[in-house]
Structure formats: C-alpha cells, structure tokens
Amino acid sequence: MHSFAYKNGFLYCEDVNLADIAAQVGTPVFVYSKKTITDDLREFREALSPLKAHVAYAVKACSNKAILNLMARQGAGFDIVSGGELWRVINAGGDSTQCTYAGVAKTEPEIRYALEQNIYCFNCESENELREINRIAGEMGVKAPVAVRVNPNVDAHTHKYITTGTNENKFGVDISRIEDVYAMIAAELPHLHIKGLQMHIGSQLTDKQPFAAAVEKVLPIVKKFITLYGIEFWSIGGGIGIVYDGCLESGKPEWWAAHPEQITIQSYAAELIPRLQPLGIRILVEPGRRLVGNAAAMLTTCIYEKKGEAKTFKMIDAGMNDIIRPALYEGYHEIWPVREHQNDEILADIVGPICESGDFQAQNRRIADVQPGEVLAEMSAGAYGFSMASTYNSRPLAAEVLVDGDKWSVIRRRQTLEQIVEDECLPE
Ligand code: LLP
C-alpha cells in the first residue's frame, strides 16, 4: 500500500500537498514517501519471519543516499552490482558485511575493493569470474565468499529486457552445469569459500507461479549443496512486481480485494515458505522495485499543449532522460494532475522536451485536460526512475525529496549546468 491520495482537491504524499513541493523545489522532482518504504520493508520481514530470512535491498532500483540510509537504519542488507554501489552503501551508513555482489562483469579493482570491505558474498555468474576472484583473493591472502547464480531456465513472463532466468540470457550458470561448477570450485579454487547459491529470474513479475517453479526446480540442488558444501544461504533474488496500471487506486484496501490475482508480499511468502522452511538455511530476498517503486511520484509541469491533425500532445518539462521506462520497456506509469480535475478527460500523448520520437511518458492516454503551468504527478516512479536518469540533451538531473508525515526534505539538490560539465576539459 502506498501513501499518495487526493485530499481537499490536491494530490498528497502522506500529509504533504505535492503542489507545495513543486512550488518550492521546482520540477521535475522525485518525491518519495518514507512511510511506504518502511511499511513495505516491515511487511517483507514479517511475511518471511517463519524463515531465517534477510532482505537485501537491490540498490540499483534507487540509490539515493537518504534512501540507502533509511534502509540501513531499518536493518536491510544490500544487493549491489558494482563497486560504485558498494561505495554508495558505505557512504550512506550501510554495512558492507551485509552486501551481496551480483553482476556478470566485475572488474579487478571492484573485486579487490569488495574483498577489502569484507562483503557478505560474491554472487558469481561464470567460471572465468570465479577463477579471477580466486586469483585476486589468493594474492590478497584472503578467502573470498562466493555463491554462483544458477539460471533455472524458467520463463518469468515479463518484458523481454527484464527477463533474466532463461538460457537465452547472459545471466548465471545453466542449471544443467551448476553441479559441475561447484565441484570445480571445491577441487580447483582454494581461495574461494562456497557460501551459498543464488538465482533471480526477472523483474516486475506479477504472478507467483514462476517464482514457485524456479524454487521447485532448484530445491534438490540446494539440498545437495547443503550436504556437500555446507552452504549457509540461498538467495532467491528479487523481482516481485508492483501495480503500475491502477496505481492510485491500489493505495486503497478495496482495490486489493478486487484483484486477488495480483502478487503481494503475503502471497509470495505463502507460496514459498512451505518449500523453503524445511531447508533450515538462511534465505535471502533481493527486492528492489517492490520496496521503492510505488513509494515515489515524479512531479513535472505541463509546458505547452499542441493539437496536431491526429493527436493532442501535452508537452512536459520531464523527458526520457528523467524516466526512461516508457521508452525502454514500454513501461506504463499513471499520470495524475496534482490539482484534482473533474470530468474533463481528453485523449493525449504526454511527451517530453527531448529530440526523439521515443521521448514520451504516455501515449493515447485518457488524462485530465491539464493546462500549461499545471503540475502532473507521474506515479510509481521510485524504482528505476531517478537511478536510470541521464543528462541527455544537457538536462540537469532532477531533484529528489523525501516526505515524512507532514514534513519533507530535499535529499538531492537539482543538478546545475556547471556540475554537468565540471569534468570536461579542452585538449592540451
Ligand atoms: N537481484 C538481481 C540479481 C537483479 O538483477 C535485480 C534486478 C534485482 C535483484 C531486483 O529486481 P526487482 O525486485 O527490482 O525486480 N530497469 C528495469 C528493471 C531491471 C531489473 C534489473 N535487475 C525496469 O525499469 O523495469
């Protein structure tokens, strides 16, 4: 459940009128609800409490220092994919020993840094990566904790760019070879300590079934590895989907009652606990989107309207550089006026200022007939929103704000043009 709703004719985040934030900080600005994030993290913990479970927040979804600090203070671990993300976690007050490190192309400096910081485990994706970590750990005189990411070849039924668990993908080691790879580690790589097994089949899964299928498929292997190598954890990855279409309504309990098919933290847990509990080992989950996705909206201002022959366009001051999801994954985000409208919906495309036809946030959308100067809220913008932003077209990165009850703080100042170019220089 999230914390965005209309009150007294305006859209609020918790007890803050979004119009006030837009007026004071300008747009575009990402606005996060502290309550949504902390509630959802608690819900994960409680739902998985019959297991020895630990939540490792997938930093890539949203890596703002204040968000990472909030996660750390609530006791989350972190799933990272680069030396940069590890640095961010530490810089935000997070504990490096609670970090699992995934990714298919970890470099030597990144591996050294992670070993120096004593991370919980490397989630490795190939034999060559294992050999490289073994070599570096040997040079450093340490034993590197490793798990291998098994690719269970289960279709997650999600967008093709965010499916990761089939043998068409670059991720992990095929399930048919995973036992040989563990045997190879044990026999040939003395500077590695086999600590666990990892998998992750994709992102934005709205159905429980692929999760259950992957767990079923990998379960016998985990049992074997407990006996053979004494593994202490199994990470079952992230991927729980959120509500994008119906987002505003999903802030109300009635919506959930009417949509029993939608995955919830509870139903995910209920599906998996009976299968995982008998193992007795530590279970890691790596949610990103589910913890922050519905927790934020991006505020943007309508700049112009253009009525073309075929379409009406509402031009806004946010582009694909601010939220790339519609352009990259055909992502759907609801767009609501911050000042509530009644019965004036039109059909329009909501497009940004970038010089690309792919620069839209919504196409053929029924939307309130907002006028230039009005502020819109693009919903479900917390995950893979700001974290995927760029300065394309020399557009400064947006500001970020964290709401807590009736208070709010800027957690990232809007970037300046000077900051965009500060590392550029003329040739000697
Ligand atoms: N663990 C691993 C190993 C991952 O690769 C990912 C996401 C996660 C956990 C977290 O998945 P989540 O719980 O957030 O679904 N930019 C795309 C999503 C890319 C996901 C990449 N990996 C989007 O905007 O839809």
Side-chain angles (χ1 to χ4, degrees), residues 171-383:
F171 298 101
V173 169
D174 289 336
I175 190 160
S176 55
R177 293 181 42 250
I178 193 76
E179 293 183 47
D180 291 346
V181 170
Y182 273 69
M184 184 278 285
I185 303 173
E188 297 173 31
L189 305 177
H191 307 296
L192 302 185
H193 158 52
I194 298 177
K195 200 164 181 177
L197 182 75
Q198 198 265 354
M199 67 182 193
H200 170 78
I201 58 173
S203 196
Q204 184 53 17
L205 276 72
T206 51
D207 178 2
K208 308 173 275 294
Q209 239 18 70
F211 287 117
V215 164
E216 284 289 337
K217 216 165 160 184
V218 176
L219 199 58
I221 296 171
V222 174
K223 284 185 186 155
K224 247 191 216 173
F225 287 179
I226 293 173
T227 312
L228 285 174
Y229 310 111
I231 61 169
E232 70 176 50
F233 81 91
W234 180 11
S235 173
I236 57 172
I240 302 190
I242 62 170
V243 178
Y244 281 104
D245 189 355
C247 161
L248 204 57
E249 288 300 306
S250 74
K252 302 173 192 149
E254 309 87 83
W255 187 94
W256 291 93
H259 293 83
E261 76 293 348
Q262 171 71 32
I263 196 167
T264 61
I265 294 172
Q266 306 296 337
S267 65
Y268 168 84
E271 190 75 25
L272 300 183
I273 287 170
R275 296 172 162 96
L276 297 173
Q277 200 170 16
L279 292 172
I281 60 170
R282 189 172 200 223
I283 301 296
L284 296 186
V285 285
E286 304 166 0
R289 191 187 318 262
R290 185 61 186 78
L291 286 176
V292 292
N294 287 139
M298 182 195 63
L299 306 183
T300 172
T301 304
C302 177
I303 305 292
Y304 299 113
E305 180 190 67
K306 177 156 85 178
K307 287 201 157 74
E309 293 242 314
K311 283 188 160 187
T312 295
F313 297 95
K314 301 280 183 186
M315 279 76 169
I316 56 174
D317 69 353
M320 64 195 284
N321 69 301
D322 297 298
I323 297 189
I324 201 171
R325 301 198 68 265
L328 199 54
Y329 317 108
E330 302 163 305
Y332 180 99
H333 290 259
E334 288 190 356
I335 299 180
W336 293 94
V338 166
R339 181 180 62 76
E340 196 168 17
H341 285 230
Q342 303 290 348
N343 308 321
D344 66 344
E345 281 193 351
I346 58 156
L347 196 66
D349 280 18
I350 316 295
V351 300
I354 304 261
C355 298
E356 303 231 12
S357 297
D359 179 30
F360 55 84
Q361 296 299 327
Q363 288 179 308
N364 301 317
R365 185 72 64 82
R366 292 212 69 78
I367 178 159
D369 192 11
V370 289
Q371 296 307 307
E374 272 192 70
V375 179
L376 293 163
E378 182 160 342
M379 308 303 291
S380 317

